[in-house]
Every structure is written in structure tokens, then in C-alpha cells.
Amino acid sequence: MASPLTTTAQPATGTGDVILRTRGLTKQYGKRLAVNNLNLEVYRGDIFGFLGPNGAGKTTTIRMVLGLIAPTSGSVELLGQDIATHSAQILPRVGALVETPALYLYMTGRDNLRALSQSLGGVDDARIERVLVQVGLAARQKDRVRTYSLGMKQRLGVAMALMNDPDVLVLDEPANGLDPAGIVEMRELLRSLAAQGKTIVISSHVLGEVQQLCSRVGIINLGQLVTEARPDDLTRGTGMFMVYVEDAPAALAALQRESWSLGARLDPNGAIFTPAPDGRGRNLNKFLVDAGYIPDSIIYQNETLEQAFLRLTNAAPGGAR
Ligand SMILES: Nc1ncnc2c1ncn2[C@@H]1O[C@H](COP(=O)(O)OP(=O)(O)OP(=O)(O)O)[C@@H](O)[C@H]1O
Ligand SMILES: [Mg+2]
């Protein structure tokens, strides 16, 4: 499968554009198969969304990718080398945030980054300053982390992942606990990092978020890859049109007399959802105009990623195991 960004890619890993590859990756906890024979490929410049419900195996996979836990079987190749044998070469080029960041709550945000920089062998203050600006924490850098909101702690976690200016960022649920404004900020931050040429792997169960951000998506359920695709290819048309019209109940009654209008309904906001003759919006428009109900708008309805996800995983909303 080709990356949408391969045209700008600069192979430098000895394996072409593949930045991360898992082969038959499996993790068993007792009798539970947390990750089951996972084959994934992430290409340079991708923002790869690793999507699945609670307990699907996202964090377990990410821990194996980073070499934090050993797989039961299978292997991980990151930046062209096997993580099991070459983590010392690989990890300095990788920034990671797994679940909640480990922070010193009694220290300031800036001092947390200083402490980390010392453990990395020294990073200059200008770099710390730049990273703080990048994640939008410059104004609060001198406050103790204890006083930070959840979103600010999350952004400080991303700042820590960025300290060594990594080629690859692996972030487990970076939008976790963020409010809508925080989610938009995080999305813009990740976009700007990808624009700088970084490859980004994020896990998420926030489906709309992944759809807006990611160039490719892997859906995992019960430890297995369900599908791997571009977000646009995952969602498909529902065959329904959303119609706003002045006298919606009367227009709906007119629609419901037609054989092609199976499933037409009025939603609580006053919009009509209906199929169209031959599936074409122009035919629906003509029908409504001829019937005396001139539409204010007709919008074709694509499936949301959430609907696609539920269809592909066949899971009930909130369904974990
Ligand atoms: N250390 C462990 N010991 C035993 N079972 C574990 C362990 N870690 C994870 N599991 C199990 O492995 C499965 C996958 O868990 P994992 O944390 O990878 O899921 P996840 O996709 O990250 O879920 P979430 O969205 O809730 O973070 C779950 O059934 C979980 O209970
Ligand atoms: Mg998890």
C-alpha cells in the first residue's frame, strides 16, 4: 500500500519509506491474547492513527513497538532496525508518550524539561524554550505542574517527547482528557510536526479526531487488525440526503408517498433525511421543487468514521471485553 506522501519521502532507513513495521506481533497475558498477529506498516511522513475500543490492544502494541515490553512472538522494525536488538540506536530518534506522562508534580513545567534534558545528556535552554512554545506552555512554564490542568500535563508530556527532536513520535491517546479547544490545539501541533517531516503514530478512540488528523488509519479490535486504510476510504456514502425545507412535515409526507423514499424521516432538529430518486441529489431537488417544497439545502450524508468503525468491528457503542 502506498503512502499518500511518498512523493516527498527521502528514504534513509535502508528499507525505503517504511518507518515502522510489525511482523506477526503477538502478546499473550496468561490465556488472554492482548495482541494477535499484528502486521502493520507506517510510512515516512504518515500521521498514522491506531484506532480501537478500550482493551483492543493499542497500548500493548505501542509498548512493544517502543521495546518497553517484549512480544510473545513476532517482531518490530523501527527506523529500519529491530527494536529487540537495536533499541539503543533507535530510541534516541523516537519521542514517545505512553498513557499519562511521568511528571514531577512539585516542579515547574520548565524544570521537568530540564530534568529530562539532563537525563538525555544535556539539551540547551533554547531548545527547552522552543519546545515550550511549540506545545503552547510558554506562559505557564514557571508554574508547578501540580497546578496544571489535565490538558496542560498532556501537552507537557508531548513536550517531553519532542525534547530530543525525534524523527518519529509515538503518542498513546494524546488527546486523552483534553477539552474541545485542547483537542484542536493538539491536532494543530501534530499537523505542524508532521509538516516538519516527522512521522507520527497516535492511538485513539476519538474517531472524529483521527479522521481529521490522520493520513492513514489502522483499526484494531480484540488484538487484531480489522483494516488499514486512508480515512476517506473507510467511510462511504449512506445513500441519504439531509434536506432543510420550510414545511418539513408536509414535505416528508410528500416524500413518503414515493417508492424510492424508504427510510425517510424527520430528525429532532427539523432536518429531513431521505434517499433520492436514482440516488441523485438533483432528482431529489427537482421532486421537491415540483411538489412545492423548495429546499433551502440538500446535503449528501457520508458515514462518519464512528459509523464505519462500528460496522467494521461489529461492536456495540462502548463495547469492551
Ligand atoms: N499487564 C497486563 N497484564 C494482563 N493483561 C493485560 C496487561 N496489559 C494489558 N492487558 C490486557 O490486554 C488487553 C489490551 O489492553 P491494552 O491496554 O493494550 O488496550 P488499549 O487498546 O490500550 O485500551 P484503552 O483504550 O482502554 O487504553 C486488555 O484485555 C487488557 O486487559
Ligand atoms: Mg490504552
Side-chain angles (χ1 to χ4, degrees):
M1 194 178 299
S3 158
L5 298 175
T6 43
T7 47
T8 55
Q10 312 246 319
T13 61
T15 53
D17 295 319
V18 178
I19 294 293
L20 167 66
R21 176 182 283 132
T22 71
R23 285 195 182 93
L25 196 64
T26 299
K27 183 73 184 180
Q28 189 140 10
Y29 288 114
K31 283 184 184 157
R32 174 172 290 135
L33 215 45
V35 175
N36 184 4
N37 193 27
L38 200 63
N39 297 300
L40 274 182
E41 280 181 355
V42 177
Y43 301 91
R44 180 182 299 276
D46 263 352
I47 305 184
F48 185 87
F50 196 40
L51 193 62
N54 293 135
K58 303 180 296 294
T59 300
T60 305
T61 302
I62 284 175
R63 285 188 194 285
M64 289 192 281
V65 162
L66 296 168
L68 297 172
I69 55 171
T72 307
S73 59
S75 64
V76 173
E77 199 181 283
L78 187 52
L79 289 162
Q81 291 178 300
D82 192 316
I83 193 75
T85 50
H86 290 78
S87 63
Q89 289 90 332
I90 299 168
L91 291 182
R93 296 174 59 196
V94 178
L97 172 61
V98 184
E99 293 190 328
T100 45
L103 301 169
Y104 298 110
L105 297 180
Y106 60 89
M107 281 168 37
T108 67
R110 187 188 185 88
D111 284 346
N112 267 273
L113 294 182
R114 277 222 179 94
L116 175 70
S117 98
Q118 271 151 19
S119 75
L120 289 172
V123 173
D124 61 39
D125 275 2
R127 172 84 199 143
I128 294 178
E129 190 67 36
R130 236 191 95 208
V131 168
L132 282 163
V133 170
Q134 247 179 332
V135 301
L137 278 179
R140 295 292 301 269
Q141 59 174 291
K142 290 184 180 153
D143 294 343
R144 284 172 198 269
V145 170
R146 181 180 295 126
T147 70
Y148 282 13
S149 70
L150 192 59
M152 293 167 71
K153 286 180 191 155
Q154 204 69 3
R155 277 185 278 154
L156 188 57
V158 175
M160 293 171 92
L162 286 172
M163 281 291 282
N164 57 345
D165 195 16
D167 297 326
V168 184
L169 267 177
V170 181
L171 308 173
D172 190 19
E173 309 255 8
N176 211 359
L178 302 189
D179 61 16
I183 288 174
V184 172
E185 278 171 27
M186 180 64 73
R187 188 191 308 149
E188 272 156 19
L189 171 62
L190 296 180
R191 274 205 190 114
S192 74
L193 292 168
Q196 291 163 31
K198 297 189 193 306
T199 304
I200 301 178
V201 179
I202 63 165
S203 80
S204 181
H205 56 259
V206 186
L207 307 150
E209 175 57 26
V210 165
Q211 190 165 29
Q212 287 184 57
L213 181 64
C214 294
S215 48
R216 285 172 62 248
V217 177
I219 293 188
I220 181 177
N221 192 39
L222 302 173
Q224 280 181 300
L225 196 68
V226 178
T227 187
E228 197 184 348
R230 297 180 58 166
D232 289 351
D233 297 336
L234 282 179
T235 54
R236 59 190 187 193
T238 58
M240 300 294 269
F241 293 79
M242 182 171 72
V243 179
Y244 281 100
V245 63
E246 253 170 33
D247 191 353
L252 180 69
L255 285 165
Q256 284 173 333
R257 284 192 285 274
E258 303 300 316
S259 59
W260 44 262
S261 73
L262 201 68
R265 63 185 170 83
L266 197 59
D267 92 337
N269 299 322
I272 296 172
F273 286 85
T274 178
D278 297 324
R280 298 194 67 182
R282 56 183 293 158
N283 295 351
L284 178 62
N285 195 6
K286 183 167 189 318
F287 171 83
L288 287 165
V289 170
D290 288 349
Y293 304 103
I294 302 172
D296 287 309
S297 67
I298 296 183
I299 304 165
Y300 187 58
Q301 299 296 291
N302 270 315
E303 205 176 37
T304 64
L305 191 56
E306 184 153 22
Q307 290 165 327
F309 178 83
L310 293 174
R311 171 170 56 77
L312 290 163
T313 59
N314 207 11
R321 57 170 159 161

